[in-house]
């Protein structure tokens, strides 16, 4: 006597293709989080049909964003470049500012394919290290809390700071958007009521460094990011300038977040020279400053 039904205990075959948001992020159109927002808003279609979060695509599928078909080929999907920028105060982390203020994208070299994606943000009054990449998947991993990319800042605070305050900031305090803390605080000099510290944290919430100090009744009057994960801001990069990560630096950053290294795209000598000239030009923000970096004095 045989059973009427057969039970198949073998595991289900893996779904074909890759998740749509991962493919679009790798093409450099945006971070995975940004792309997921586009899909949810109905801006992305696959083979003429509105896409849904979690759908998978392969090389034969036609993807469109805002009804514009995307050109897909291997070379545009695997290009990975990372730019390191020393942001000055006064620039905003947006592509188009309605108030006409200078933005961090103003001087970055233009790309033939994809676009520069900023890895996190700095507010207008914060200077220092910003990373940009053409690889949305790399940007997503660098910003995701699960990869534990710590950020280090040099901060000058005005007010009395004692050991008990430092311990509270390291143990954690409650902010309006949840608990927060510094993973490390190191005193680095200063006189009187203005003292410098180097602080580290694991998140990149809006104005988190400033809000942590303000929760203790002291005020931040200078703030500069000096490190993001394994990438340091060196003294060789002046304020308002950028440089591209070299192959060995890029490989180390990729492996830090579990991505296989990818060779930088080949570049003509003329293109390299043009890139070097652009990197040496002063920023638009600096060009507005008087020579010598001094502010004009008012006549009395």
């Amino acid at each position: 006597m045989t059973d009427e039904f057969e039970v198949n205990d073998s595991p289900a075959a893996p779904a074909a293709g890759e998740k749509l948001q991962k493919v679009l992020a790798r093409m450099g159109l945006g971070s995975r989080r940004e792309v997921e927002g586009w899909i949810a808003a109905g801006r992305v279609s696959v083979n003429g049909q509105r896409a849904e979060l979690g759908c998978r695509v392969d090389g034969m599928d036609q993807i469109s964003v805002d009804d514009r078909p995307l050109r897909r080929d291997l070379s545009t999907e695997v290009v990975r470049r990372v730019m390191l920028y020393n942001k000055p105060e006064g620039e905003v982390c947006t592509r188009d500012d309605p108030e006409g203020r200078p933005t961090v994208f103003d001087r970055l070299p233009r790309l033939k394919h994809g676009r520069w994606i900023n890895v996190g943000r700095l507010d207008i009054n914060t200077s220092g290290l910003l990373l940009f990449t053409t690889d949305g998947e790399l940007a997503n991993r660098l910003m995701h809390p699960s990869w534990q990319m710590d950020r280090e800042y040099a901060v000058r605070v005005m007010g009395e700071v004692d050991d008990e305050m430092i311990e509270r900031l390291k143990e954690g305090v409650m902010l309006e958007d949840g608990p927060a803390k510094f993973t490390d605080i190191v005193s680095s000099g200063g006189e009187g009521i203005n003292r410098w510290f180097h602080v580290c944290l694991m998140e990149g919430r809006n104005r988190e460094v400033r809000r942590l100090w303000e929760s203790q009744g002291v005020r931040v009057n200078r703030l500069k990011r000096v490190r993001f994960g394994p990438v340091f801001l060196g003294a060789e990069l002046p304020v308002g300038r950028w440089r591209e990560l070299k192959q060995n630096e890029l490989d180390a950053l990729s492996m830090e977040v579990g991505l296989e290294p990818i060779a930088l795209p080949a570049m003509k000598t003329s293109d390299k020279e043009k890139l070097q000239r652009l990197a040496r030009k002063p920023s638009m923000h600096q060009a507005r400053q008087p020579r010598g970096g001094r502010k004009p004095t008012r006549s009395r």
Side-chain angles (χ1 to χ4, degrees), residues 9-22:
D9 292 328
S10 60
E18 286 187 280
K19 287 187 176 181
L20 175 60
Q21 58 264 39
K22 188 173 182 179

Side-chain angles (χ1 to χ4, degrees), residues 267-274:
M267 192 177 296
K268 297 178 181 178
T269 302
S270 58
D271 291 336
K272 287 183 180 179
E273 293 173 347
K274 181 179 179 181

